Amino acid sequence: MNYLLSDIARIVGGEHRGCDMMISAVATDSRSVVVTNEVVFAAIDGKNHDGHNYIQRMVARGVEAFIVERDMELPTKRCGMVVVESTLGALQELAAYHRRQFAGCVVAITGSNGKTIVKEWASRSMPEQVHSFASPKSYNSQLGVALSLLMLDGGERVAFIEAGVSEPGEMSRLEYMIRPDIVVVTSIGDAHSANFVSEAAKIDEKLILAKDAKTIIYSSEYPSLRCRIEELYGQRELIDSSCEVVDDVLELSDALSVDALHVAALMRRLGYGVDGAIFSAKVAMRLELKEGIDNSMIIDDSYNSDINSVVVALDALHLQSMGRRRVAVISDIRQSGMPQDRLYARVAEAVQRAGVDYLIGVGESISAYAMLFPRNSSFYNSTDELIENFHHERWADSVILLKGSRDSRFERLARLLERRTHTTTLEVDLAAMKKNLNYFRRHLPQHHPIVAMVKAGSYGTGDVDVARMLQHEGVRYLAVAYADEGVTLRMKGITMPIVVLNADQDSFDVMIAHDLEPEIYSFHSLDAFRRAVHHAHREAYPIHIKLDTGMHRLGFMEDDVDLLGRALHLDHSLHIASIFSHLSTADMPSEDAFTEQQIERFDYMSSQLIEWLDYTPLCHIANSAAIVRFKSAHFDMCRLGLGLYGFGFEHNDELMPVATLATRIVQIKQLMRGESVGYGRAARLERDTVIATIPVGYADGLDRHLGCGRWKVRIGGVEAPIIGRVCMDSAMIDITDIEGVEVGDRVIIFGAERGNTLEDMAQVLDTISYEIMTSISQRVKRIYTER
């Protein structure tokens, strides 16, 4: 987009103050703004962050244009400002105006599931010579849709916009902005059902998007959806994607097959056919974060490359770097539809904006415009040429972005850069984790502080990558179990406050050296830590006082409070950052009376202690369950543990499991009836059987008690029981009844599909999901994805 700031004021009905200037980009996250030319910072007062608090930071970085919703003075004489009633509303109005100037075809994609994959497959299936646009990542919210539309440069022939709603009343605002020509409704499922009185109400909300659309694509696999579309829009062009016949979808699971048929119907409707369509489940749908060689980290986005996705990926590089060296490997961009000099000028600007320290360009086109990039950049005509010079490049201690088109085949480069080669992986969905965080935030007052539990390697999901995301999301504290965990986070660039819950005397000096804050639960630990603080010549060192309100694990008892207050009164060496306790039965309705007693006792004990102080610490007792079930437990701050990872709440379709344990088949054998499988001949075959071996065993965290048919893995959504005993490094599965299985096929040990979740596995093992997650071996590679 290109608008004068005064034009923006006129379009959105705001008041323009100060200087006028050209605006070509909008920023809403102060942490992602590096280069500030022609950028307007829109200060949004949201539930968890107030952008107005970061205006001075933006001015210091050189931002000169702002959209605000408060009557405030201009930060400097060079600045310009648009004052509006609602910043979000102004962005939506600007996006709607910008959309009306767009002459291409707009395709809107909505539904309970499959929106992102349909959007990605469709956009990647477009002919290379056709300039198209797809909203980045999962930009499908009230803000995300507005930002997506404002990225349109006007030269695109097709724009794919994802639209998601979670409650009634949201879709009308999205429809006002998008005004789609074609609407694809992917599915109707359980997502966000709690916010709608019925499935029919949810369908009606989603179909508002098609109010003025010429064409609606749907699947009769969802009969209630089909009937309502025909009832409301029977006079429109209705396309039932289930009538499509596409050979390439046969290898996909049922859900992905439906998505692929949607894409096939859409591509035919657009006039491009399905010959070049992409229906591969192996194509990454999100940014993947992987541990790399030589203390590096890889951000792998090596399956598509257009100018807007390049900008988003570079933004991710900037945010993930945490002070480390930034390396960007970028291939030729095929689907731009714009002159190459203009295209690579924009790429060079985005590289500068992201603060990239070292660029590697791959491809003849980007190499031809090397003069636009910093002098220390390297260029290669092909991925093969880069791989030949792999050891000449400097990868150590860097965050490395791989951003390539699908024909660049950057996956070969990724394999060279990855630190581990174990076939089994634990895939951690950071986007799902963010959604879980926001689910709990919706139960709390605006800007309510949260302590996020990242002990035990974030419940087995990994340490620093999860911590970086939580730091970026504005969580107030991180909590670890032991000092070593906190030191690891500090060494990897985490700067936010970290609480050590199991703080012991031997680690106090190390904690102080790394600014870690201890839980103090006894007079012995209080005295020992006070001595350590004096020895380090520190003052007002933050500590967290643990009260025992009934769990009887750690903490000061009620009779200790008066003496504790006297001990802390006028002590300037220590500062109580928070007072807290632990609920033992918040997730057990049968014990609600006991939980209420704990909350009341904590309120009384913490109040008594605060009377001894001349300041007021934060008080917190609520865990994940109490955030949802006990408003009286919210106090000044809440602690979020297992719920953050999508576990511990059965039958809650708002929470998303964040972890998938996956592997691949390494061998297939055909065995005869009467033969046996595995140690102890525990499995004696009663029929001719086809078995497959997978490289995951009890040393990886696959419990031995899951063998002999007690657990079933999934291959393409189909169950395959474990046959025989689980070995240390491998297991065998029965694939007799699954057609077309080949070596290399993906196997899900546990994931998000019902019957195959971590909670289901916990029931089989008669344990809890905590135990399983924290038992996943460190030799299992963690891969982090983000939509």
Side-chain angles (χ1 to χ4, degrees), residues 572-741:
H572 297 294
S573 64
L574 303 177
H575 176 83
I576 303 178
S578 79
I579 304 170
F580 72 107
S581 187
H582 201 108
L583 296 173
S584 56
T585 60
D587 59 341
M588 300 171 61
S590 61
E591 295 288 347
D592 280 358
F594 182 77
T595 300
E596 294 285 3
Q597 289 177 9
Q598 279 197 271
I599 295 169
E600 292 175 5
R601 186 175 294 122
F602 175 71
D603 190 17
Y604 173 75
M605 292 173 65
S606 60
S607 298
Q608 292 295 104
L609 180 57
I610 290 172
E611 287 186 2
W612 286 96
L613 308 175
D614 56 2
Y615 57 93
T616 304
L618 296 171
C619 294
H620 54 106
I621 191 173
N623 55 11
S624 299
I627 290 174
V628 177
R629 302 191 64 239
F630 294 93
K631 187 175 181 179
S632 59
H634 290 173
F635 289 94
D636 306 311
M637 188 159 63
C638 294
R639 296 191 306 278
L640 186 53
L642 197 61
L644 177 65
Y645 305 94
F647 306 121
F649 286 73
E650 293 186 34
H651 312 300
N652 187 327
D653 58 27
E654 295 291 300
L655 289 177
M656 304 174 63
V658 304
T660 297
L661 184 62
T663 190
R664 295 193 181 275
I665 292 172
V666 294
Q667 189 174 29
I668 295 175
K669 295 179 179 179
Q670 297 187 6
L671 303 179
M672 302 295 290
R673 178 184 177 184
E675 294 192 75
S676 59
V677 178
Y679 284 116
R681 304 189 68 195
R684 298 171 188 258
L685 303 180
E686 298 180 354
R687 63 170 181 171
D688 293 349
T689 304
V690 182
I691 69 165
T693 301
I694 53 177
V696 56
Y698 57 79
D700 301 296
L702 183 64
D703 196 292
R704 290 184 72 249
H705 296 92
L706 295 173
C708 299
R710 294 193 70 198
W711 184 249
K712 298 175 181 178
V713 300
R714 300 288 175 93
I715 303 173
V718 182
E719 294 182 339
I722 296 176
I723 185 169
R725 295 176 181 172
V726 174
C727 308
M728 178 181 288
D729 307 302
S730 60
M732 287 69 75
I733 57 177
D734 185 345
I735 60 170
T736 308
D737 300 323
I738 310 176
E739 295 183 3
V741 179

Side-chain angles (χ1 to χ4, degrees), residues 70 95 203 280 325 355 370 561 716:
R70 296 179 188 167
I203 290 174
S280 173
R325 181 171 173 264
V561 172

Side-chain angles (χ1 to χ4, degrees), residues 415-691:
R415 284 195 293 269
L416 291 174
L417 288 167
E418 288 179 37
R419 185 169 70 87
R420 294 188 181 95
T421 58
H422 194 340
T423 303
T424 301
T425 60
L426 186 70
E427 300 167 6
V428 182
D429 188 338
L430 295 179
M433 197 177 294
K434 290 178 187 177
K435 290 182 179 179
N436 294 340
L437 173 62
N438 289 330
Y439 166 80
F440 288 99
R441 278 174 161 167
R442 290 201 301 270
H443 288 81
L444 297 171
Q446 189 174 27
H447 307 312
H448 198 75
I450 287 178
V451 182
M453 310 300 290
V454 294
K455 61 182 180 178
S458 300
Y459 293 72
T461 63
D463 46 31
V464 68
D465 296 279
V466 172
R468 283 195 188 101
M469 182 275 290
L470 294 169
Q471 179 168 281
H472 179 259
E473 290 300 305
V475 168
R476 178 70 66 87
Y477 284 93
L478 298 178
V480 298
Y482 298 104
D484 289 347
E485 296 175 316
V487 171
T488 297
L489 294 179
R490 286 283 187 254
M491 296 297 288
K492 293 184 177 181
I494 300 300
T495 58
M496 64 184 294
I498 300 174
V499 181
V500 180
L501 298 176
N502 291 46
D504 62 89
Q505 183 173 342
D506 291 340
S507 66
F508 284 166
D509 291 338
V510 172
M511 290 176 59
I512 294 172
H514 291 87
D515 289 319
L516 305 175
E517 304 176 15
E519 168 191 308
I520 299 297
Y521 50 82
S522 68
F523 289 109
H524 177 77
S525 63
L526 177 64
D527 292 340
F529 192 73
R530 181 187 284 122
R531 289 195 298 272
V533 170
H534 282 303
H535 183 263
H537 305 291
R538 300 286 292 271
E539 290 188 355
Y541 198 98
I543 63 173
H544 301 262
I545 298 294
K546 176 70 174 290
L547 303 179
D548 186 347
T549 58
M551 186 168 177
H552 300 324
R553 183 171 61 183
L554 293 173
F556 292 93
M557 299 292 288
E558 187 171 341
D559 291 343
D560 296 329
V561 172
D562 188 65
L563 182 58
L564 177 62
R566 293 175 186 273
L568 293 169
H569 183 53
L570 299 180
D571 185 343
H572 297 294
S573 64
L574 303 177
H575 176 83
I576 303 178
S578 79
I579 304 170
F580 72 107
S581 187
H582 201 108
L583 296 173
S584 56
T585 60
D587 59 341
M588 300 171 61
S590 61
E591 295 288 347
D592 280 358
F594 182 77
T595 300
E596 294 285 3
Q597 289 177 9
Q598 279 197 271
I599 295 169
E600 292 175 5
R601 186 175 294 122
F602 175 71
D603 190 17
Y604 173 75
M605 292 173 65
S606 60
S607 298
Q608 292 295 104
L609 180 57
I610 290 172
E611 287 186 2
W612 286 96
L613 308 175
D614 56 2
Y615 57 93
T616 304
L618 296 171
C619 294
H620 54 106
I621 191 173
N623 55 11
S624 299
I627 290 174
V628 177
R629 302 191 64 239
F630 294 93
K631 187 175 181 179
S632 59
H634 290 173
F635 289 94
D636 306 311
M637 188 159 63
C638 294
R639 296 191 306 278
L640 186 53
L642 197 61
L644 177 65
Y645 305 94
F647 306 121
F649 286 73
E650 293 186 34
H651 312 300
N652 187 327
D653 58 27
E654 295 291 300
L655 289 177
M656 304 174 63
V658 304
T660 297
L661 184 62
T663 190
R664 295 193 181 275
I665 292 172
V666 294
Q667 189 174 29
I668 295 175
K669 295 179 179 179
Q670 297 187 6
L671 303 179
M672 302 295 290
R673 178 184 177 184
E675 294 192 75
S676 59
V677 178
Y679 284 116
R681 304 189 68 195
R684 298 171 188 258
L685 303 180
E686 298 180 354
R687 63 170 181 171
D688 293 349
T689 304
V690 182
I691 69 165

Side-chain angles (χ1 to χ4, degrees), residues 48 109 331 398 400 480 568 577 643:
N48 307 310
I109 303 163
S331 77
S398 302
I400 305 162
V480 298
L568 293 169

Side-chain angles (χ1 to χ4, degrees), residues 18 68 127 233 250 262 286 398 510-511 653 655 775:
V68 300
Y233 304 123
L250 296 177
H262 285 319
R286 295 153 288 187
S398 302
V510 172
M511 290 176 59
D653 58 27
L655 289 177
S775 297

Side-chain angles (χ1 to χ4, degrees), residues 172-189:
S172 60
R173 296 193 294 274
L174 298 184
E175 191 279 334
Y176 173 71
M177 288 187 284
I178 302 170
R179 295 293 171 91
D181 301 294
I182 300 173
V183 169
V184 180
V185 188
T186 61
S187 63
I188 288 295

